[in-house]
Amino acid sequence: MSKYPFNEIEKKWQKFWEENGTFKVKEDPSYPKEKRAYVLDMFPYPSGAGLHVGHPEGYTATDIYCRYLRMKGLNVLHPMGFDSFGLPAENYAIKTGTHPKITTEKNIEHFRKQIKSLGFSYDWDREVSTHSSEYYRWTQWIFLQLYKKGLAYEAETPINWCPDCLTGLANEEVKDGRCDRCGHQVERRNTRQWILKITDYADELLDGLETLDWSDSLKAMQRNWIGRSEGANVKFKLENSDDIIEVYTTRPDTLFGATYMVLAPEHPFVETITTKEQRKDVDKYIKDASMKSDLERTELAKDKSGVFTGAFAINPVNGEKIPVWISDYILISYGTGAIMAVPAHDQRDWEFATKFDLPIIEVLKGGDITVEAFTGDGPHINSGFLDGMGKEESISTMISWLEEKNSGKKTVNYKLRDWIFARQRYWGEPIPLIHCPKCGIVTVPEEELPVTLPEVDDFKPTGHGQSPLAKVEEFVNCKCPQCGTEAKRETITMPQWAGSCWYYLRYLDPENDERFLSKEAEDYWMPVDLYVGGTEHAVLHLLYARFWHKVLYDLGLVSHKEPFQRLVNQGMITAYSYQRPNKSLVPTDEVKESEDGSFVEIVTGEKVEQVIAKMSKSLKNVENPDDMIAQFGADSFRMYEMFMGPFQVSKPWSTKGLSGVHRFLNRVWNVATRELTDEKPPAELVKILHKTLKKVSLDTDAMEFNTAIAQMMIFINEVYKHDKCYRELWEPFVLVIAPYAPHLGEEMWQMLGHKEILAFESWPQWIEELTLDDEKEVVIQINGKVRSKMIIAAGTPKEELEKRAFENEKIISLTEGKNIIKTICIPDKLVNIVIK
RNA sequence: GCGAGCGUGGUGGAAUUGGUAGACACGCUGGUCUUAGGAACCAGUGCCUCCGGUGUAAGGGUUCGAGUCCCUUCGCUCGCACCA
C-alpha cells in the first residue's frame, strides 16, 4: 500500500500547534455569549494499559466539532485532564511498593503523549489532575461547604463492602451484587462511613432532567435510579401494645385486603414484639438472613422465606387482627422497612401467602386471584367506603380517610439512597475533618487546606475498615483548631468520584489559588454546551456531579442549576469474536477465515460464527491506537473511528475498514500533489463541491460524522477522474476536511500557498443554487411499482410530467385498454399511474 | 418482571416531510499495469427460475405509494431488579 507521508506531516503540525500555542483560549469579552462554546470530554483515568480505541472516539468527535466551531467564528473552550486518584495505582503500590504518585504521573505522561499524537486541539494550559494537591485542595474545600450545609454525616451502618478492593462501595458501584470495578461478590459489613445526603436533592435531580438536552434513555436511567414513588405511610397499632408499626405502600386503596404484615429482619421492632414461643425461630431466621450477602438474598428470591413473630397488628381500616411476620424480601433500607401484605394484589405477597397458607382477600375485581395476584385496575369490592371505585379514585379517597383519622399520610419514597462517600484506602483526597475529644467533629480551617496525603511506605489497608492513613501518627495526631486539645484527623479518604464532580469547573480557572473558581470565568463559559462520554457513567459520575453542582448553586457559587446542558453518549467500540455452536467464544488468534468467507477454528477445523463482543484481553481482540497510528497515521485513525457508523451507536472495530479510509486519504493526497490550476473547473465538479459543502456542514453540525465522510469520498471519487487540481474546488474542500484530518488539512492548505494556518479560517459556505441538479431522473410507476424512468429538466411542472409519462412507450403498452383511475405526480420525483 | 432501544446485502452501514431501498466503505469476482505485491487503477457485485419476478425479522393494517406510520408476534442489546 503506498503511503502519503503522514508521519512527517503529523509530527510537523503537532509541533507547530504546540510551539505556537494555537489552541490556547482566553476569556475574550469581544465574543458575545452566543459566540462562546464549552465543549467537554469525560477525562480519562490514566491506567497503566494506556489509551484504548474507545477513548479517541469521543475525543475525535469533540475535536472535529470544536475545529468546526472555531471556523464558524466561535471562541471555544476545549480542555483535557486526568481523573488520577483511584484504586489501580494503589493496588499496584501494594504489590510492588512503588508509590501511586509515581505510577500515576508516569501513566499521565504516557496518556498525554498518546492523546497529543492524535492531534487534538486541546488547550493544554488548562490541564488538571485530580490527585495534585493544588487541585484536591479545592475538592476538600467543596467537601467542607457540603459538611457545613449539613449534607455530610458520619455513620456506622451496614454497607456494601468489596473484600478484594478492601473498601466500602456506594450503591451505584454495585452491579448484580458484585463490585463494579473488580467483579468480586460484595459483602454486607458494618463500617464507619462518611455519607453525603444526596437524597435531599432527589426531587431537584429528577426535575432538573426536564431542562436538559440529554438522550431519553439516559434520562430514563437517572429517573429509574432516583426511583421516585408516591404512596402513603399507614400506621398499624400493635395488639396489646401502644407501639405503632408504620408501613409504606403505593396501594393504600387495597388496605381492606391486607391480611398480614411483614417486617425486614433488621427492623427494630422485631426484638420487642416477638413472643416467647416464636423467639427461637425468629432469632434463627435473623441470624441466617444476616449471613446472606445481598446477592444470595436476591438469588433466593424465587422461593420466599419468613417466620411469624407471634405478634398481631390491627388493620386501621376495619379493626381486623392480622399476624406480623418477618422476611428478607423486605428491605430495611426502603420505605419504613415494613409492609402491609395484600396477597390478592401484589405478586410477592401472593407467593408468600400461598407458601405460608395465609388468607388472600380480593378487594379489586378483574383477575383470578387463585392463579396469581391481580395488579390491574378494576372496581373495588369488599372495601367498605371504596366499593365500586377505580384505582386512582380510591387511592386518593383512602389517603384522605387515613389523614383524617390520623392513621397515615401521603408519602413520597425514593429508591435513591444516600451516597457512601468514603474509601478506607490511601490514594484519595483526605477528608478535611478532625475528631476532637472535647469539641467533637471540627472542620480543618479553610486556610490550612489542602490536608495533604502523608508519605507512607505501606499502602496496605488494614482490612478492618481503617485506611492506611490510620497508621501514620504524624498525620493522625493533631491539635483541635478550636480548643487546641490533642485531636485526631479523619483517616477515611474520598471516593474516586469526588474529583470528577467538579473538574469541569476548575478548567475554567485552573491557576486560581484564591478561589476554586472565579466568578468571571464561571460567567464567561458555563454551562457546558456539549459534554461527550460513555454511558458507563449514566448513574455514577453524572448523578454525583449534578448533585454537587446543585449544592454549589444553592450556595451561590455557580450561576446555573445544571452543569451539562447537552450530553451525547458515544457508542462503544466493540470487536469481532468467534463463537462455537455451543455458544462458547474462541479467541481471535485461534480462528482463520476460509476461502468461502466462513470462519473455522484452527485446532478443530470446526466452523465458528462471527459475532460481536466486547474487546477483551482474553479474546485477543483488543486494538492498540499506537499501532494503528504508526501504520496508518492519526488522521486515518481519527477518520476511520468517525466513519465506522453513527457516533452514538456501538460498532465493531475492523482494521480493514481503517485501511479503506487510509486509501481515501491517499487519494486526497494524490489530488493535492497534482498540478494546481486557477482554471475554471468543470461545472459538474462545482456542483459536487457545493453538495459536499452542504452535506459536510449540516452533518458536522448534527454530529453525523459518518455520512459527512461518505460525502467527502464521493467528492474525491469524482475529482480523481480529472488530472488537475482546481484551486476553486480544492481550497474549500481542504477547509471542510480539515476538522476531520487536521494535519493533512494544514499541510494541503500550506501547499495551496497560504502563510496563515487554516484553523481559524472561515468555514466555507455552500451556494444553494449550485447544489441543485439541472436534470432529474423521474420514475414512472404503475400501481406503485417502478415501470420506467425518464430524465427531465428540474422543476418541470406536473402537467408536463404527466404528459411525458403517458408518451412513454412502455407505459403506453402497459396502460393500453386499462381503466386509469388516477395519476399522482410529485415534481422531480415520480409519476404514479393507478390503473384497474 | 419493569424501563429504554434496535432488527436493512457476505460485513460496517446509507436512505428530508411516507415518494427510485442498498449511498459510502469493507469483502468478493474479473481485468489493466508491474520482477513482485496483502500496492495502484478500471469494471462488476441484494436474491431468484435473470427480456421477468422478488426483497428492509415475521404476519396484518392505513395509503395511489411503507425500511419509514399503526397493531400483533418473534429475536437481540443495554439499564434496573423482591423498591412494597
Side-chain angles (χ1 to χ4, degrees):
Chain A
M1 197 182 285
S2 89
K3 285 175 181 171
Y4 77 94
F6 58 81
N7 197 19
E8 221 172 281
I9 294 172
E10 288 172 3
K11 283 217 175 75
K12 168 181 165 184
W13 288 103
Q14 282 165 19
K15 188 160 169 255
F16 180 93
W17 294 327
E18 176 128 24
E19 284 175 356
N20 291 275
T22 306
F23 300 111
K24 291 194 197 320
V25 63
K26 293 230 159 56
E27 287 75 28
D28 179 345
S30 69
Y31 287 91
K33 208 73 187 151
E34 66 277 9
K35 286 279 182 190
R36 305 169 192 168
Y38 184 2
V39 180
L40 180 67
D41 287 302
M42 286 186 188
F43 65 169
Y45 173 76
S47 74
L51 226 52
H52 58 77
V53 295
H55 286 118
E57 190 194 11
Y59 302 163
T60 301
T62 53
D63 191 62
I64 291 169
Y65 195 66
C66 285
R67 287 175 182 272
Y68 165 73
L69 292 180
R70 284 189 202 102
M71 292 171 82
K72 297 282 273 187
L74 275 75
N75 196 25
V76 179
L77 174 62
H78 189 40
M80 180 45 77
F82 300 96
D83 189 12
S84 45
F85 268 134
L87 282 180
E90 186 171 354
N91 291 340
Y92 185 76
I94 291 167
K95 231 191 282 171
T96 64
T98 313
H99 197 287
K101 186 175 165 132
I102 293 170
T103 323
T104 300
E105 290 181 354
K106 202 179 112 226
N107 290 349
I108 288 178
E109 197 72 28
H110 183 218
F111 259 70
R112 195 190 294 114
K113 203 174 148 219
Q114 284 187 302
I115 292 172
K116 284 189 173 175
S117 76
L118 281 150
F120 297 134
S121 57
Y122 293 119
D123 178 354
W124 286 102
D125 281 4
R126 293 172 183 263
E127 178 188 334
V128 298
S129 291
T130 56
H131 80 284
S132 77
S133 58
E134 301 85 57
Y135 182 88
Y136 72 69
R137 168 185 177 187
W138 297 107
T139 310
Q140 291 174 334
W141 181 83
I142 295 171
F143 175 86
L144 287 182
Q145 311 314 308
L146 275 112
Y147 178 78
K148 288 175 189 166
K149 207 172 180 295
L151 291 167
Y153 61 96
E154 192 187 14
E156 177 112 14
T157 70
I159 55 139
N160 305 302
W161 177 268
C162 174
D164 192 52
C165 297
L166 293 173
T167 186
L169 303 174
N171 280 309
E172 290 77 10
E173 294 173 297
V174 182
K175 299 256 142 79
D176 295 326
R178 291 174 182 278
C179 173
D180 191 26
R181 166 180 307 285
C182 70
H184 260 78
Q185 199 166 312
V186 165
E187 295 169 1
R188 296 151 64 72
R189 183 160 177 171
N190 253 314
T191 314
R192 192 175 65 87
Q193 303 296 339
W194 277 94
I195 300 176
L196 297 184
K197 276 193 198 169
I198 191 170
T199 51
D200 275 13
Y201 280 80
D203 273 327
E204 288 203 47
L205 288 166
L206 196 59
D207 297 344
L209 290 172
E210 304 297 329
T211 66
L212 298 178
D213 183 8
W214 293 17
S215 73
D216 288 339
S217 68
L218 193 71
K219 286 188 192 181
M221 274 194 231
Q222 291 223 341
R223 272 191 210 107
N224 277 343
W225 193 261
I226 295 166
R228 183 190 152 100
S229 83
E230 286 186 12
N233 273 8
V234 183
K235 294 175 187 169
F236 283 72
K237 251 181 69 77
L238 281 163
E239 190 194 33
N240 308 324
S241 158
D242 289 335
D243 284 336
I244 285 169
I245 300 178
E246 204 163 10
V247 303
Y248 173 72
T249 178
T250 53
R251 296 293 304 277
D253 61 309
T254 61
L255 192 46
F256 285 94
T259 53
Y260 61 100
M261 292 182 83
V262 194
L263 308 185
E266 300 88 351
H267 196 284
F269 274 19
V270 174
E271 180 62 28
T272 54
I273 66 172
T274 303
T275 58
K276 272 199 202 99
E277 301 76 54
Q278 293 301 105
R279 172 69 62 190
K280 232 177 95 186
D281 289 353
V282 168
D283 285 350
K284 182 173 186 305
Y285 187 81
I286 293 172
K287 201 174 158 227
D288 289 350
S290 71
M291 305 276 278
K292 288 184 201 167
S293 67
D294 272 1
L295 188 65
E296 286 169 311
R297 266 171 90 150
T298 48
E299 265 177 358
L300 295 168
K302 287 137 214 156
D303 199 16
K304 297 266 183 297
S305 66
V307 54
F308 178 44
T309 61
F312 288 87
I314 308 298
N315 187 336
V317 81
N318 55 13
E320 293 282 333
K321 206 173 108 176
I322 58 174
V324 181
W325 287 61
I326 62 169
S327 171
D328 64 3
Y329 84 92
I330 305 307
L331 307 173
I332 187 64
S333 48
Y334 186 75
T336 60
I339 61 147
M340 64 178 207
V342 185
H345 304 288
D346 181 288
Q347 189 58 27
R348 296 154 298 182
D349 298 344
W350 189 91
E351 284 163 18
F352 193 84
T354 308
K355 178 161 180 193
F356 294 104
D357 212 15
L358 291 156
I360 301 174
I361 300 174
E362 186 177 34
V363 293
L364 234 97
K365 254 167 64 180
D368 180 358
I369 60 155
T370 60
V371 184
E372 60 178 359
F374 173 63
T375 53
D377 202 351
H380 280 68
I381 53 167
N382 304 324
S383 295
F385 57 89
L386 299 179
D387 280 351
M389 288 183 196
K391 192 161 142 184
E392 289 309 312
E393 190 189 0
S394 43
I395 287 175
S396 53
T397 308
M398 179 58 90
I399 289 175
S400 308
W401 187 90
L402 289 167
E403 285 177 347
E404 208 172 289
K405 299 277 191 250
N406 200 23
S407 288
K409 60 171 194 290
K410 188 169 179 178
T411 308
V412 174
N413 248 308
Y414 302 92
K415 207 185 87 173
L416 181 72
R417 313 281 162 75
D418 275 343
W419 175 12
I420 311 281
F421 190 76
R423 279 218 335 242
Q424 290 71 20
R425 297 293 300 259
Y426 172 75
W427 191 233
E429 303 86 348
I431 288 181
L433 294 174
I434 290 165
H435 297 268
C436 169
K438 285 188 186 157
C439 312
I441 294 167
V442 180
T443 57
V444 172
E446 288 179 11
E447 60 277 11
E448 285 175 25
L449 296 179
V451 176
T452 48
L453 273 174
E455 289 301 320
V456 300
D457 303 321
D458 180 11
F459 304 96
K460 221 179 189 119
T462 62
H464 302 292
Q466 289 266 59
S467 106
L469 296 183
K471 291 180 286 190
V472 186
E473 291 194 11
E474 320 82 87
F475 176 80
V476 175
N477 296 325
C478 64
K479 296 261 191 296
C480 169
Q482 272 178 22
C483 68
T485 316
E486 290 293 327
K488 296 207 181 292
R489 263 183 216 287
E490 177 56 66
T491 57
I492 289 175
T493 53
M494 300 187 202
Q496 196 185 346
W497 308 105
S500 59
C501 274
W502 74 285
Y503 75 109
Y504 57 93
L505 291 172
R506 191 61 180 172
Y507 283 143
L508 307 177
D509 198 7
E511 307 279 325
N512 197 332
D513 56 9
E514 302 289 316
R515 282 173 62 86
F516 81 115
L517 163 70
S518 75
K519 196 75 199 129
E520 296 72 40
E522 201 266 339
D523 275 344
Y524 192 90
W525 293 113
M526 283 301 283
V528 174
D529 296 283
L530 175 66
Y531 193 17
V532 172
T535 348
E536 66 273 23
H537 296 120
V539 287
L540 289 156
H541 160 62
L542 288 172
L543 197 65
Y544 297 152
R546 290 180 64 220
F547 165 48
W548 276 38
H549 198 85
K550 286 179 180 300
V551 176
L552 294 173
Y553 174 81
D554 286 348
L555 291 166
L557 296 167
V558 295
S559 49
H560 298 267
K561 285 190 174 181
E562 290 285 344
F564 314 123
Q565 190 47 45
R566 179 174 175 217
L567 183 130
V568 174
N569 284 125
Q570 77 220 38
M572 201 182 10
I573 294 184
T574 54
Y576 288 114
S577 184
Y578 301 89
Q579 198 176 50
R580 299 187 188 97
N582 67 8
K583 304 278 181 203
S584 62
L585 294 170
V586 189
T588 306
D589 60 349
E590 292 172 23
V591 171
K592 65 169 188 209
E593 191 172 353
S594 60
E595 276 163 28
D596 63 345
S598 65
F599 299 92
V600 290
E601 188 172 354
I602 296 167
V603 186
T604 61
E606 295 282 318
K607 275 204 177 182
V608 288
E609 198 192 339
Q610 189 179 50
V611 293
I612 287 166
K614 283 185 187 172
M615 281 193 184
S616 74
K617 279 183 197 158
S618 60
L619 293 176
K620 306 250 173 63
N621 57 6
V622 178
E623 298 294 345
N624 178 344
D626 292 345
D627 299 345
M628 296 299 147
I629 293 168
Q631 203 180 340
F632 299 100
D635 283 334
S636 297
F637 181 80
R638 291 167 54 118
M639 217 161 186
Y640 170 62
E641 288 218 342
M642 295 301 101
F643 184 64
M644 291 169 81
F647 179 60
Q648 283 98 326
V649 174
S650 76
K651 49 236 165 225
W653 179 268
S654 150
T655 304
K656 278 176 180 164
L658 170 53
S659 69
V661 171
H662 184 66
R663 195 171 302 157
F664 162 66
L665 290 184
N666 269 321
R667 285 157 71 88
V668 172
W669 178 255
N670 180 309
V671 175
T673 51
R674 288 177 187 176
E675 179 200 341
L676 186 66
T677 172
D678 288 328
E679 281 169 46
K680 198 83 193 142
E684 73 268 22
L685 291 186
V686 174
K687 194 168 293 300
I688 291 171
L689 172 73
H690 283 270
K691 283 183 175 181
T692 302
L693 296 180
K694 181 177 182 178
K695 181 97 180 126
V696 175
S697 301
L698 297 177
D699 287 356
T700 305
D701 210 84
M703 299 183 77
E704 288 165 7
F705 307 114
N706 55 330
T707 47
I709 294 168
Q711 182 62 40
M712 292 191 248
M713 288 173 169
I714 293 170
F715 175 81
I716 287 298
N717 288 347
E718 286 308 311
V719 168
Y720 207 77
K721 293 173 187 162
H722 298 74
D723 50 8
K724 284 177 183 163
C725 179
Y726 297 94
R727 180 181 289 276
E728 188 183 324
L729 300 175
W730 204 241
E731 293 214 332
F733 179 74
V734 167
L735 291 173
V736 298
I737 200 177
Y740 291 80
H743 313 88
L744 182 59
E746 288 292 0
E747 185 67 21
M748 295 191 300
W749 191 245
Q750 198 173 58
M751 287 160 77
L752 284 161
H754 295 281
K755 297 277 179 287
E756 293 292 320
I757 58 164
L758 60 58
F760 300 96
E761 281 292 321
S762 355
W763 184 258
Q765 179 62 43
W766 74 90
I767 298 166
E768 187 65 26
E769 301 89 81
L770 293 178
T771 65
L772 303 173
D773 292 314
D774 311 327
E775 290 184 320
K776 294 277 184 183
E777 190 184 39
V778 173
V779 297
I780 311 170
Q781 299 179 327
I782 291 179
N783 292 343
K785 289 190 177 169
V786 179
R787 293 300 172 188
S788 185
K789 296 176 181 177
M790 53 189 181
I791 305 287
I792 264 177
T796 303
K798 277 187 179 184
E799 299 71 34
E800 174 70 14
L801 266 189
E802 268 183 51
K803 196 174 138 244
R804 291 281 301 272
F806 283 106
E807 283 166 10
N808 184 295
E809 274 179 42
K810 194 162 173 206
I811 298 305
I812 291 169
S813 71
L814 283 165
T815 53
E816 207 166 24
K818 297 281 167 46
N819 195 3
I820 293 166
I821 296 173
K822 65 169 157 177
T823 308
I824 289 112
C825 195
I826 312 288
D828 294 347
K829 296 249 170 180
L830 59 82
V831 178
N832 187 12
I833 301 162
V834 185
I835 62 168
K836 216 174 181 177

